[in-house]
Amino acid sequence: METKRMLGVLGGMGPMAGAAFALRLAALTPADRDQEHIPVLLLNDPRIPDRSTARLAGGEDPLPAMRAGIEFLNTSGADLIAIPCNTAHLWYDELAEASQCPVLHIIEAVADDLRRQGVARGRIGLMGTAATLALGLYQRTLEQHGYECIVPQDDEVESLCMTSIRAVKSNRLDDSLAPAVECVQRLRARGADAVVLGCTELPLAIPHAVRPSLGMVTTDSIDALALAVIEHYQKAGKLATHRD
Amino acid sequence: METKRMLGVLGGMGPMAGAAFALRLAALTPADRDQEHIPVLLLNDPRIPDRSTARLAGGEDPLPAMRAGIEFLNTSGADLIAIPCNTAHLWYDELAEASQCPVLHIIEAVADDLRRQGVARGRIGLMGTAATLALGLYQRTLEQHGYECIVPQDDEVESLCMTSIRAVKSNRLDDSLAPAVECVQRLRARGADAVVLGCTELPLAIPHAVRPSLGMVTTDSIDALALAVIEHYQKAGKLATHRD
């Protein structure tokens, strides 16, 4: 297909997060009719082997399937790629290397979103998968940007973060809210100035409507990545709507 | 890409509806982890010319772009196609003809959903785009199934249905609810036993949480199409989860 611009999305990790990303991208785009929105090709492939299991328990390597997805999006006409899965960014360098077009980095998008929300320094509470947290995916980047990170204890990662994430992945959204909110509150009690929902299942666990009641800034890694896409196309002059 | 099963979705009409369809498909699939979900390739291409304008006002023909999308999904490995846009089904025969794999029909999916919800006969209120309603897309099929159809008056199609649909397409969800609910209530007052949200923007205008307060059965064309996909893969033995 010939395209002037088309966002390729390597999704399916999990499938609800991939679809929610496409939905939030449409919702956040300044557009007045269909034709002003960003064309998106979403490969929502849930068969990609589990990222956390691969990194922490010697499970099947997801890189070949992710690389094949990146190559497919490139040959299908993508001129930019987004990967709405935080843990997948443990393989970011290999995926960016496999792509002819730029691949956005979700952790950088979250750091940008913290500044966008007025949190330019301070202590950032991190939530995410066991692999994302144990392997320091956020810590490296946020400390480079001058933030201090507060990470849940190992038992909290399992009983709060992973319990919430697994509930979303198995379509039990009602069960996902309480453990996620409990984790936010514990991080807040330990001095966090803001909390990163650093797994794309977590924004589904804590819906937008609930967040004002949390009493602190949260950064939603789905929305942050969608805003990074919109900014990319705006800067490239490829998002010219009547509102510009 | 090699695939055993992959749903191709011709979306973007509008983009929020295409993404919402992928989200609802994930939410409605009986799955306990990522790998049990249905792989989806969503071509969310909002550049497809407007369907209603083409049919009612001599606008640009959307068929070439839709046909190119169907062909792209086929060559990319889709073994089933869904099109989450009711109006696009005015070209269903041409699109099914262009596809090597089966293309689900959203109107049939809605008729199945009416029976699933216990409405096996009676008067069905129709909501949709001007083109969907004026060209009898639902009326033909539902009358074949033995239903009687109640259609909004021309001025109501414009002031209620189209006003709500345009609000969704331009990301003004807050403005989309009231006109859609008003249309449901008028159809109910005229004796409708159930109302079809027969444009994929309308389920976004009237969120699931609001529907119980409407006091009547509504059929959501996004959910109906998602359930048709799940049934298709279940019947083909391609949705084997631990819950089976």
Side-chain angles (χ1 to χ4, degrees):
Chain A
M1 300 192 79
E2 275 196 327
T3 52
K4 286 184 188 162
R5 57 168 193 184
M6 186 167 72
L7 175 70
V9 182
L10 184 64
M13 307 177 281
M16 204 179 283
F21 170 75
L23 189 66
R24 291 296 296 163
L25 178 65
L28 293 167
T29 299
D32 259 7
R33 54 193 191 102
D34 288 358
Q35 290 73 18
E36 292 173 357
H37 281 270
I38 298 165
V40 171
L41 180 63
L42 165 63
L43 178 61
N44 220 27
D45 191 344
R47 295 163 301 184
I48 296 173
D50 189 73
R51 285 66 59 197
S52 291
T53 311
R55 272 297 163 104
L56 297 181
E60 188 184 348
D61 183 3
L63 181 59
M66 292 196 290
R67 195 188 276 132
I70 294 286
E71 288 165 0
F72 168 76
L73 294 171
N74 270 273
T75 57
S76 299
D79 69 340
L80 179 68
I81 286 176
I83 308 172
C85 170
N86 288 267
T87 315
H89 285 72
L90 289 166
W91 291 266
Y92 176 82
D93 291 344
E94 293 89 334
L95 297 176
E97 171 89 21
S99 181
Q100 280 89 60
C101 70
V103 180
L104 293 172
H105 198 304
I106 199 168
I107 316 293
E108 293 291 346
V110 164
D112 288 347
D113 192 56
L114 281 171
R115 288 190 294 270
R116 187 185 290 119
Q117 295 198 57
V119 182
R121 65 182 67 81
R123 284 163 297 191
I124 310 299
L126 299 180
M127 292 173 65
T129 63
T132 291
L133 298 175
L135 297 171
L137 189 55
Y138 269 98
Q139 293 91 312
R140 264 197 311 276
T141 302
L142 293 187
E143 285 163 10
Q144 280 169 4
H145 284 281
Y147 297 101
E148 185 186 331
C149 294
I150 303 179
V151 181
Q153 297 160 8
D154 287 353
D155 62 319
E156 293 170 331
V157 172
E158 183 55 35
S159 67
L160 302 177
C161 293
M162 292 304 297
T163 297
S164 176
I165 291 165
R166 287 194 194 102
V168 174
K169 285 180 183 291
S170 61
N171 286 339
R172 293 178 289 108
L173 281 184
D174 288 348
D175 298 338
S176 67
L177 177 62
V181 167
E182 174 68 21
C183 194
V184 171
Q185 286 167 344
R186 292 195 191 183
L187 291 166
R188 185 187 183 192
R190 285 174 209 150
D193 299 303
V195 167
V196 171
L197 304 178
C199 166
T200 49
E201 268 72 37
L202 292 171
L204 299 167
I206 307 181
H208 286 83
V210 170
R211 294 183 206 165
S213 70
L214 297 174
M216 71 185 314
V217 171
T218 52
T219 298
D220 170 332
S221 53
I222 290 181
D223 281 9
L225 187 61
L227 291 169
V229 168
I230 293 165
E231 273 194 17
H232 174 96
Y233 282 119
Q234 278 172 333
K235 283 183 187 163
K238 289 183 177 179
L239 200 68
T241 74
H242 75 289
R243 293 191 199 176
D244 286 343
Chain B
M1 299 191 79
E2 276 195 330
T3 52
K4 286 183 186 162
R5 58 168 190 182
M6 185 166 73
L7 176 70
V9 182
L10 184 64
M13 307 177 281
M16 205 178 283
F21 170 76
L23 189 66
R24 291 296 298 164
L25 178 66
L28 293 167
T29 299
D32 260 6
R33 54 193 190 102
D34 288 356
Q35 290 74 16
E36 292 173 357
H37 281 270
I38 299 165
V40 171
L41 180 62
L42 165 63
L43 178 60
N44 219 27
D45 191 342
R47 295 162 300 184
I48 295 173
D50 189 72
R51 286 66 59 196
S52 291
T53 311
R55 273 296 165 108
L56 297 181
E60 188 183 350
D61 183 4
L63 181 58
M66 291 195 291
R67 196 189 274 133
I70 295 285
E71 289 164 0
F72 169 76
L73 294 170
N74 270 275
T75 56
S76 301
D79 69 340
L80 179 68
I81 285 176
I83 308 173
C85 171
N86 288 267
T87 315
H89 286 72
L90 289 166
W91 291 265
Y92 176 82
D93 291 343
E94 293 89 335
L95 297 176
E97 172 88 21
S99 181
Q100 280 90 61
C101 70
V103 180
L104 293 172
H105 198 303
I106 199 167
I107 316 291
E108 293 291 347
V110 164
D112 288 347
D113 192 57
L114 280 171
R115 288 190 293 271
R116 189 185 289 119
Q117 294 198 57
V119 182
R121 66 182 67 80
R123 284 163 295 192
I124 310 298
L126 300 181
M127 292 172 64
T129 63
T132 291
L133 298 174
L135 297 171
L137 190 55
Y138 269 98
Q139 292 90 314
R140 264 197 311 276
T141 302
L142 293 185
E143 285 164 10
Q144 279 169 5
H145 285 281
Y147 297 101
E148 184 186 331
C149 294
I150 302 179
V151 181
Q153 296 161 7
D154 287 354
D155 62 318
E156 293 171 330
V157 172
E158 183 55 35
S159 66
L160 301 177
C161 293
M162 292 305 296
T163 297
S164 176
I165 292 165
R166 288 195 195 102
V168 174
K169 286 182 185 289
S170 60
N171 286 339
R172 292 178 289 110
L173 282 183
D174 288 347
D175 298 338
S176 67
L177 177 62
V181 167
E182 174 68 21
C183 193
V184 171
Q185 286 167 343
R186 292 195 190 182
L187 291 165
R188 184 187 184 193
R190 284 174 211 153
D193 299 304
V195 167
V196 172
L197 304 178
C199 166
T200 48
E201 267 74 37
L202 292 171
L204 299 167
I206 306 181
H208 286 83
V210 170
R211 295 184 206 164
S213 70
L214 297 174
M216 70 184 316
V217 171
T218 52
T219 299
D220 171 332
S221 54
I222 290 181
D223 281 10
L225 188 61
L227 291 169
V229 169
I230 293 165
E231 273 193 18
H232 174 96
Y233 283 119
Q234 279 172 334
K235 283 183 187 162
K238 290 183 176 179
L239 200 68
T241 74
H242 75 288
R243 294 191 198 174
D244 289 342

